[in-house]
């Protein structure tokens, strides 16, 4: 078993944002394997998030971010269960990162359940037609269309976008990491993005 020093524990904490004791335990359980410990902490985050899914999250912050010389601005409401967590630096940093993400990546939805059946049908039809025009047989065209729909979700759905500061994680991942750290339900309630001169009518 690799020797687990305080420096290694601190490094894992810096990489994941998890508590020192959680990091030490994860390293002990994975024989000092840093990558395995990171995976374990992220799984714990997902499990904690699932466990707290039915809790009320009525506290939180409204965070704003202005980007590109004042041409793009975002406002996001990030909720948690208690005012105590809402006031922590980690929670505020998470809200700020999500506001930056929205400014940079222009998501259209928070989660994929918000995408209407009509939009999904329209996108699938477009992707299937594209695939057929590329010479794909009908059955293959359907598979290609489903694959491109997944890419549509990854680009348009905030929770499924790659995090701009760490492409190896999604926005859902960084929220789950914070859930594991604070032990509370955290969710994005709503957001709005402004682009200078852009029409608000859809």
């Amino acid at each position: 078993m690799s020797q687990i020093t305080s420096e290694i524990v601190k490094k894992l904490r810096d990489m994941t944002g998890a508590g020192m004791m959680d990091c030490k335990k994860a390293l002990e359980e994975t024989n000092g394997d840093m990558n395995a410990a990171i995976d374990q902490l992220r799984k714990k985050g997902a499990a904690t998030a699932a466990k707290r899914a039915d809790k009320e999250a009525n506290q939180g912050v409204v965070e704003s971010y202005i980007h590109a010389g004042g041409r793009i601005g975002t406002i996001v409401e990030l909720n948690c269960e208690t005012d105590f967590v809402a006031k922590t630096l980690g929670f505020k940093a998470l809200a700020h990162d999500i506001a930056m993400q929205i400014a940079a990546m222009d998501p259209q939805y928070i989660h994929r359940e918000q995408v209407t059946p009509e939009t999904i049908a329209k996108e699938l039809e477009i992707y299937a037609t594209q695939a057929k025009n590329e010479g794909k047989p009908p059955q293959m065209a359907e598979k290609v269309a489903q694959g491109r729909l997944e890419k549509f979700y990854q680009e348009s759905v905030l929770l499924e976008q790659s995090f701009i500061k760490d492409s190896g994680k999604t926005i859902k991942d960084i929220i789950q990491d914070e859930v594991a750290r604070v032990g509370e339900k955290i969710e994005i309630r709503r957001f709005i993005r402004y682009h200078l001169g852009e029409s608000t009518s859809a």
Side-chain angles (χ1 to χ4, degrees), residues 1-4 25-34 36:
M1 181 175 176
S2 303
Q3 185 179 7
I4 299 167
K25 186 177 179 184
L27 284 164
E28 287 172 350
E29 291 175 355
T30 57
N31 293 322
D33 186 320
M34 187 68 75

Side-chain angles (χ1 to χ4, degrees), residues 14-44:
D14 291 341
M15 291 172 70
T16 64
M20 289 291 280
M21 292 306 296
D22 287 334
C23 290
K24 186 171 185 291
K25 186 177 179 184
L27 284 164
E28 287 172 350
E29 291 175 355
T30 57
N31 293 322
D33 186 320
M34 187 68 75
N35 290 328
I38 290 170
D39 288 342
Q40 186 160 311
L41 286 168
R42 289 182 66 184
K43 286 174 185 174
K44 181 187 173 189

